[in-house]
Amino acid sequence: MQSSRNTAPRKGTRKACDPCSVRKVRCDGSQPCARCLAASWDCTYLKTHGKSGPKGPRRTTEAAIKKLQHRIRAGTTDRLRSDSEASYDDDSPTTTQFPLLEPLPPGLEFQSDVMAWPDAITSPTFPSPRQDPERISTSSMSHYLEVYQARGYAIWPVVDTEALVARLLTNPDDMEAYGVATAICASTISQFRIESEPGSPVEGHFRISSGFFEAEAKRAREASDHLEQVTAWSLLSSFFLHVYSANIGRMTASTVFLGEAITKAHIIGFHRASYYEAMDTDQRQHNLRIYWLLFITERAHSIQHDVPTMLKRTLDLPVLENLNDGSITPAFIQLCNLFNILDVTITADPNSVRNALTLAQQQLSDDESARGLQNELQRADISMTQQWMRIFLWQHALSVTNLRNNNESDEFSFSFPAKVAHSVLNNLGNLSRESLEAHGPGMESKLFDVANSLADVMIFVPTINQDSHFSLGPRDLMHSLGSLLASFRGGNPAVIKVLQEKLTMLGLAVSSPQKLIDLSSSEDENEERARSPMGAAWAEATMYGPITPMVPVQGFAGPFDTQM
C-alpha cells in the first residue's frame, strides 16, 4: 500500500525545511520531512537553510517556527534570506552572492568611524555598500555561536544559543539580543584564537574579525539603551565584552566591563535570596549560574589585577544544582566550590586565619574530584585552578602569619611552592597542550604564578635549591615549568623578560619563554607585578628570622579563566 507521505527527497537533501532550520536539526529533505510529520508541523521550504546544530525543540521553538513562516508568507522573504543558513546543494548561492550584512532597523545611526571590515575579505565581488545602516547577519553569526555552544558553554554556561538564534530570527529589530550575540562571537573568536587558524571557518561566508563583532556589540548596546534598560541580557553583553577585552590584553577596559556587569547584577537583584523565590526551577538555576559566573570571574580578576571586589558572597542563596539536562557541568559546580573555599579563607577572622589557611590547603590538596572528570578541558581547568589557589593562599599567608624555612607544616614553609610545582607538572603531564591553551590567558597566568613563586624562593632562600623530596629538585621543576610556558601560544614580552631574568639568575637555560600572559594593563605594571615584592622579604627573612606581612590583600580576589 502506498504511503500518503511523499518519501522522495527534495533535490539537494542538505537543504533543510523551515521548521528544521529554526530548530537547528538535520532535515531528511522530504516533504513533509520525518521531524515535521512526527511533530504535526507544517513542513515548508520557503527559504534556504543549512547546517544542523543543538537538538531541541525548546519551549520557544514552535512559536519561533510559526512566526517565521507567517512573516515569510506575508512577503518578507527577501529580508529573511540574509538570516538563513547557506545551503550547499547545486542551487545554493555562491560566497560572493550570500550577504554578509543586513539592514539595521530604521532610525539607528550608522557610525562609520567605529566600524571595520572583516579581516579576510579577498573577493573582488564583495557586495557594494548600501545606503542604509547594515549589521552582521544571523547566518554569519551562527558558526561562532555554534563554537561557543560546543567549546565555550562549559566555561560560560549562561546563554542558550538556540533560543538566542530563534529570538534573532523572529525579532530582527531586537538590538539587545543582537548585542549579546555579537559580544559572544567576539569573545569566542578571541578565546579560542579562531582568527589565527588558516582558512575561513565559515563555509559560504566571509570571515569576520573579533574587533568587528566588538564594534557591533557596542553599537547595539547603545541602540538598546543598555545602561537604562538593565536586564540579564544587557548584563551578559557587558560580561562577554569583559572576556573579549581580557583576551586581547585591554585590562582596564576588561575591568570596567566586569564592574558594569556586576553593577547590573546588583540592580536586578541577583545577590538577594528573595529575587529567586517566585521563579521556576529552570529560570532560578539559569540566574544562579549568572551570579556564580560573575562571582568567580571577579574573584579571579581581582587577585590577578589587584582591584577590590564588589559582588558579595551571599550565604542564603538557593543551591546551584546539576539538573542533568546539559545546562551545567559538574566541573562548573566544582569551580564554584573552589572559589567559595578561597573566599571563606581570605575573609576569615584574623584570630583564626592560620587555622582557616590550614583547612583550605587540606581541601585544595584533594584532587580526586578533578581527576574524575571525563572532559579533558574541564579536568585541566579544575586541576590547575586548585594548584593556583594553593600558591595564592601560601602567598597570602606571608602577609598574615610567619613562615620559616624549617617549619614542619608544609603550607607555612618555603618549600611549599616546590611541592605545588610538582603537583602541577604531575597533573598536567597527562593532558594535551590544546586542552591547556583552550583556557586562554588564565591558564598561562596561573602557570606563571606558580613558576614565579618557585623562582623567588630559589633566589632568596638558596638553601632550598638542594631539596629534592620528590626525586626532582626545585631546579628540575623550574626548568620544566619554564619549558612548558615557553611552548604556549600568545604572550606578554614584559613578563617573558622577567621570568627569563630569573631563570638566568638561577643558571637555568630554557629556550626563550616567548609566550606568557598579560597580568596587567601596561608593560610597567606587568614587570612590577612579576618581580614580586616578596623577594625582599624572603631575603630579609634569611637574616632576621620570621617574615613580616608584605603583600597586603586589597579586598578579596580570585582567578578564573574568563578566560577559564
Side-chain angles (χ1 to χ4, degrees), residues 186-198:
S187 60
T188 298
I189 292 170
S190 60
Q191 177 79 14
F192 301 109
R193 299 170 183 174
I194 296 175
E195 288 174 322
S196 65
E197 296 174 358

Side-chain angles (χ1 to χ4, degrees), residues 79-95:
R79 172 67 179 277
L80 284 179
R81 199 173 296 278
S82 64
D83 280 335
S84 66
E85 288 286 348
S87 65
Y88 306 120
D89 61 6
D90 294 337
D91 297 329
S92 65
T94 65
T95 300

Side-chain angles (χ1 to χ4, degrees), residues 452-513:
N452 193 47
S453 296
L454 178 56
D456 282 342
V457 170
M458 295 171 65
I459 291 170
F460 296 102
V461 189
T463 57
I464 215 170
N465 294 350
Q466 308 305 318
D467 193 4
S468 58
H469 293 302
F470 312 105
S471 73
L472 290 175
R475 294 174 63 84
D476 302 305
L477 297 171
M478 191 66 225
H479 185 275
S480 297
L481 286 172
S483 298
L484 179 60
L485 282 167
S487 67
F488 270 69
R489 295 183 296 173
N492 184 306
V495 180
I496 297 166
K497 179 181 178 182
V498 171
L499 184 58
Q500 186 64 59
E501 287 176 354
K502 292 183 179 182
L503 293 174
T504 301
M505 291 176 65
L506 293 169
L508 298 173
V510 177
S511 55
S512 177

